[in-house]
Structure formats: C-alpha cells, structure tokens
Amino acid sequence: MKFTLVVDETAEESVVATVHRESGFTVQMENLVLHYTGGDRLAAYTEDELKMLPFAQIECITLLGGKTYAIDREGEKYLLRHRLYELEQLLPANFIRINKSSLANQDRLDRLSASFNGAVDAVFKCGYRDYVSRRCFGELKRRLTGK
C-alpha cells in the first residue's frame, strides 16, 4: 500500500483513496474524513462548569440514568450532550463498544476480569468497571490481542 500526503494551502482539500475492495478500514477512514471537525475534545459538563475534555483523557463513555457520561482518568463523571451513536462516529478508532450502553477507550483498559458465572468486566486504569457483553467480547478480544 502506498500513502502520499500533499500539503498545499492554496488547493481545495480532498481525500482520494484507491482500494481493491471496501473493508472495515475503508469505512472507518470514510467516517473519519467526513465527520472530522478538527477537534480532539468533547464539551463535557459538571454541575457548575463546562470543560473541554480531550479524547485521550476519556476512559469510558456510558449511559447512566438515561444520560450520557464520560468518565475521565481520575474517575470523574462528566455529562455529554451527544447520543452514544453520535459519539461512535465522532471518536477515534481506539474507542470500542463493550456493551449496548458503553464505549471504552481501549488504550485506557487495564484488564478484563472474568467472574465464576462467565461474566466479563472491563476494568479501566482509573478503577471504573463496566461489563462486557457477549456480543462485543469477540471484537474487543480480537482488537486487544491483534488476532
């Protein structure tokens, strides 16, 4: 595969990719190009402030009580004004769905913890835990192990 980047401040921006067939990678690349807003932060809210939360600071995004929250490296919860499906399109590829109501930053996963009844929890570096659904476990395991 070849990659060429041409920086020309006078030209109109365009991205052209020539591939043999469409794949998961090409879909991700298309989503990145079409939905990129030039930012790497989300507007996150606490009770009395607005904070621009960098993607790298986010451990997990989850639904709690019908609202979307981001959990940062210190375990603090911030309210987000986006739906989970919108965030899936907006966030970089290192965020992966771990269950119906949560997205995980795979770079911030500490470990997967299995219990005696077969359930698997994702344990994040900040100590937050969330369950991994059976439906999402295979993809998560494949991405973490590279197989």
Side-chain angles (χ1 to χ4, degrees), residues 1-2 5 20 22 26 39 42 46-47 55 59-60 73-74 89 111 117 139 141 143:
M1 180 183 289
K2 295 180 182 179
L5 177 67
H20 296 286
E22 190 170 316
T26 60
L42 287 174
T46 61
E47 288 183 16
F55 293 160
E59 303 256 325
C60 180
R73 289 181 179 210
E74 284 80 43
Q89 305 253 328
R111 67 185 183 280
N117 65 358
E139 175 65 14
K141 183 179 173 187
R143 284 180 54 177

Side-chain angles (χ1 to χ4, degrees), residues 103-123:
L103 297 171
N105 181 346
Q106 75 181 43
D107 298 337
R108 300 294 304 160
L109 272 174
D110 188 37
R111 67 185 183 280
L112 298 177
S113 175
S115 63
F116 68 93
N117 65 358
V120 176
D121 282 349
V123 181

Side-chain angles (χ1 to χ4, degrees), residues 7-26:
V7 178
D8 183 355
E9 294 178 6
T10 62
E12 180 183 356
E13 287 186 339
S14 67
V15 176
V16 177
T18 304
V19 295
H20 296 286
R21 62 183 144 357
E22 190 170 316
S23 67
F25 173 72
T26 60

Side-chain angles (χ1 to χ4, degrees), residues 10-125:
T10 62
E12 180 183 356
E13 287 186 339
S14 67
V15 176
V16 177
T18 304
V19 295
H20 296 286
R21 62 183 144 357
E22 190 170 316
S23 67
F25 173 72
T26 60
V27 171
Q28 283 184 337
M29 187 170 55
E30 180 182 14
N31 284 335
L32 174 66
V33 170
L34 294 177
H35 296 99
Y36 183 69
T37 60
D40 63 347
R41 299 170 184 264
L42 287 174
Y45 301 87
T46 61
E47 288 183 16
D48 56 351
E49 69 179 11
L50 163 68
K51 178 178 181 179
M52 296 306 292
L53 193 61
F55 293 160
Q57 293 287 328
I58 300 172
E59 303 256 325
C60 180
I61 296 175
T62 191
L63 296 176
L64 300 169
K67 295 182 180 179
T68 308
Y69 287 90
I71 298 163
D72 74 356
R73 289 181 179 210
E74 284 80 43
E76 297 292 322
K77 294 180 178 121
Y78 295 91
L79 180 65
L80 302 177
R81 301 275 167 97
H82 294 280
R83 302 251 183 216
L84 212 53
Y85 71 89
E86 295 171 332
L87 291 166
E88 255 184 316
Q89 305 253 328
L90 182 67
L91 292 167
N94 58 312
F95 283 84
I96 184 169
R97 189 174 284 272
I98 58 171
N99 61 51
K100 191 169 93 172
S101 60
S102 296
L103 297 171
N105 181 346
Q106 75 181 43
D107 298 337
R108 300 294 304 160
L109 272 174
D110 188 37
R111 67 185 183 280
L112 298 177
S113 175
S115 63
F116 68 93
N117 65 358
V120 176
D121 282 349
V123 181
F124 296 90
K125 292 181 180 177

